[in-house]
Amino acid sequence: MALSPRLEFRQAQSLTLTPQLMQSIKLLQLSHLELSTFIDEELLRNPLLEREDGGSEAAEPAPVVETAEIGDAYDGIVAQGSEQIPDAGEIAGGLDTAVENVFPDESRQDLGQSSVPDRNGSFEGSEAPDLDQFIASRPRLSDHLETQAQMILRTQSDRLIALHLINGLNEAGYLAVELTDIAELLGAELADVEAVLGALRGCDPVGVFARTVSECLGMQLAERDRLDPMMQRLLDNLDLLAAHNMAGLLKAVGCDREDLMDMLAELRRLDPRPGLAFESDPVETIVPDVFVRTGPDGSWQIELNSDVLPRVLVNRSYYATVSKKTRGAEKTFLSDCLATANWLTKSLDQRAQTITKVAAEIVRQQDGFLTHGVAHLKPMTLKMVAEEIEMHESTVSRVTANKYMATPRGLYEMKYFFTTAISSSDGGGDHSAEAVRHRIKQLIDAESIKDILSDDTIAEILRKEQGIDVARRTVAKYREGMNIPSSVIRRRQKKSLEALA
């Protein structure tokens, strides 16, 4: 069979992700803060978009004033006298450029820039200060220590060493760098670095520049004149205290139980992380995206949080006015802006509808949790929700990412309701992994000092009383995930608490 070239036409279908479709998918997984940032960027990029300020119609565009009209108006104002000259903002309102491009600096001084009234109604020659400048901010630990270092250190070389030591502190106030590294970096003697460190350890707050917890607590006890040999032995054996080995701690410290209790009470009044009082990230409040409330008839009502939903409008009147005077590339640019604005408003509406649909299905399947609590949380997967609302699993995953739901049981992330299933030993329905964790915590919280439950015992109780077929290693994994210690450590903890009581 001879080989010869030939042309063939074939027709096939393929799914292509357009840039707009990719942006629509991205909008689904954005949180309300990320979405607000995205909308702000689009408002700066697209002149046809504007935020809705409560009105139903887009704002009218500013009237176009011809250059000749501006000149005539300005000449008339000047003829009336200098006391009636408008400020720079009024003149700039009719120009299509900045004031400094039209008037020189000397002329702008006479345009009445001091048009900002103070609280008494008088005008000053400067702009109104930003309100954020008057909000009290928490001092940073580094700034607080640098100020003290400038006062206690005399030479410039010592201050430079102090600056590197301060930069080597972690957020808790502990020194995380080696003194030899600083000495090598600065070309200084190790003795000089140690001398500067000793001076800085007297700064406020007491305990900074320590390397270990025992050293930090020792510095604070020395400041209070409470660091005696017995207390030092207690600090040297903090590992026994962490393991709640009270018998070993009494033997290592060499004191009776009453003295040990007094020393432990003294340690509790100290701050093991003094740096956290200065430098910490601001606490951000979680704002729910969906509210779940009980209706008059006892059913659940799902409502989107309107405060976090961005409202944007397309200024079609501005587009109609400007498009009549544009040609070529400008006309194409406006058309692209109009298409992008229409797509964005449609995508935001579709995003809101999708979130509502997914939230409604979650509430329907988790009705037992909302009514009775965590013990009745059902196992649920993304596939189960996707099949009910006829969407893809990836869509449900994007919708539930970084979204929060306010329910009568509290504020929960939407991902919280999706848990794996644990089979039942009696042939009943499956149990949610989160409900099993909750039951394990209940059993451990209710145990007494004479009856500490091991992982095997907990697994047996869950199997017999709750019908939950769970292995010992699963109980251990869930317990460790909740930061609950083992039965041996819990027994020591309860004994030490009983001794303290």
Side-chain angles (χ1 to χ4, degrees), residues 211-413:
R211 292 189 177 276
T212 62
V213 176
S214 60
E215 188 177 4
C216 177
L217 299 180
M219 293 168 59
Q220 298 180 41
L221 289 171
E223 178 71 17
R224 302 183 181 189
D225 196 18
R226 290 282 296 162
L227 188 60
D228 51 30
M230 189 177 297
M231 184 68 78
Q232 183 61 53
R233 289 195 295 270
L234 174 60
L235 295 178
D236 294 337
N237 294 275
L238 289 180
D239 54 341
L240 296 177
L241 179 61
H244 296 273
N245 189 356
M246 303 302 293
L249 192 61
L250 287 172
K251 183 178 179 180
V253 176
C255 64
D256 55 18
R257 184 175 295 274
E258 184 178 356
D259 291 337
L260 181 60
M261 296 301 108
D262 293 339
M263 288 189 291
L264 292 180
E266 184 76 20
L267 290 183
R268 291 190 184 93
R269 290 192 287 267
L270 304 179
D271 186 5
R273 292 176 292 181
L276 295 183
F278 287 84
E279 199 165 354
S280 60
D281 296 331
V283 179
E284 297 183 358
T285 305
I286 297 178
V287 180
D289 299 89
V290 181
F291 292 105
V292 179
R293 300 184 177 93
T294 305
D297 55 350
S299 61
W300 299 108
Q301 294 183 348
I302 294 90
E303 178 185 357
L304 289 177
N305 188 358
S306 58
D307 295 335
V308 300
L309 289 178
R311 298 181 177 90
V312 294
L313 297 176
V314 182
N315 199 332
R316 300 183 183 277
S317 59
Y318 178 71
Y319 171 77
T321 302
V322 178
S323 61
K324 297 178 181 179
K325 303 179 182 180
T326 57
R327 296 291 185 274
E330 293 83 359
K331 187 78 170 182
T332 304
F333 172 75
L334 283 177
S335 300
D336 294 340
C337 290
L338 180 61
T340 303
N342 290 331
W343 159 80
L344 182 59
T345 55
K346 189 179 301 183
S347 297
L348 291 176
D349 182 66
Q350 184 179 2
R351 176 182 181 272
Q353 294 179 7
T354 305
I355 293 176
T356 304
K357 186 180 297 185
V358 172
E361 182 60 25
I362 292 176
V363 171
R364 188 188 69 83
Q365 296 197 26
Q366 299 295 348
D367 177 73
F369 164 79
L370 297 175
T371 305
H372 304 288
V374 183
H376 294 78
L377 187 65
K378 297 180 181 179
M380 187 175 65
T381 61
L382 297 173
K383 184 178 180 180
M384 296 170 59
V385 175
E387 290 177 350
E388 292 294 333
I389 63 178
E390 298 181 352
M391 289 184 178
H392 197 270
E393 295 180 43
S394 61
T395 304
V396 179
S397 177
R398 292 185 178 93
V399 169
T400 55
N402 304 317
K403 310 294 189 308
Y404 291 86
M405 180 184 297
T407 69
R409 293 284 170 184
L411 181 64
Y412 296 91
E413 188 179 6

Side-chain angles (χ1 to χ4, degrees), residues 4-77:
S4 60
R6 61 179 180 178
L7 295 176
E8 291 185 357
F9 292 94
R10 295 182 181 180
Q11 185 176 5
Q13 292 182 344
S14 63
L15 180 62
T16 304
L17 291 178
T18 62
Q20 290 186 347
L21 181 58
M22 294 176 63
Q23 286 285 6
S24 299
I25 295 175
K26 181 182 178 181
L27 287 180
L28 287 177
Q29 61 186 6
L30 294 181
S31 64
H32 63 88
L33 292 177
E34 296 171 339
L35 182 62
S36 179
T37 303
F38 175 79
I39 295 299
D40 291 338
E41 295 175 355
E42 288 295 324
L43 289 173
L44 294 175
R45 189 181 301 113
N46 196 331
L48 299 182
L49 281 175
E50 59 182 23
R51 287 190 181 273
E52 182 182 3
D53 297 329
S56 58
E57 297 181 358
E60 292 293 331
V64 180
V65 184
E66 299 295 337
T67 307
E69 297 178 2
I70 297 177
D72 296 340
Y74 185 71
D75 293 340
I77 294 175

Side-chain angles (χ1 to χ4, degrees), residues 152-173:
I152 64 178
L153 299 176
R154 299 302 179 185
T155 64
Q156 190 66 25
S157 59
D158 289 347
R159 293 175 179 176
L160 182 60
I161 295 175
L163 180 61
H164 281 76
L165 289 173
I166 293 173
N167 292 334
L169 297 177
N170 58 20
E171 61 179 7

Side-chain angles (χ1 to χ4, degrees), residues 34 110 423:
E34 296 171 339
D110 300 329
S423 59

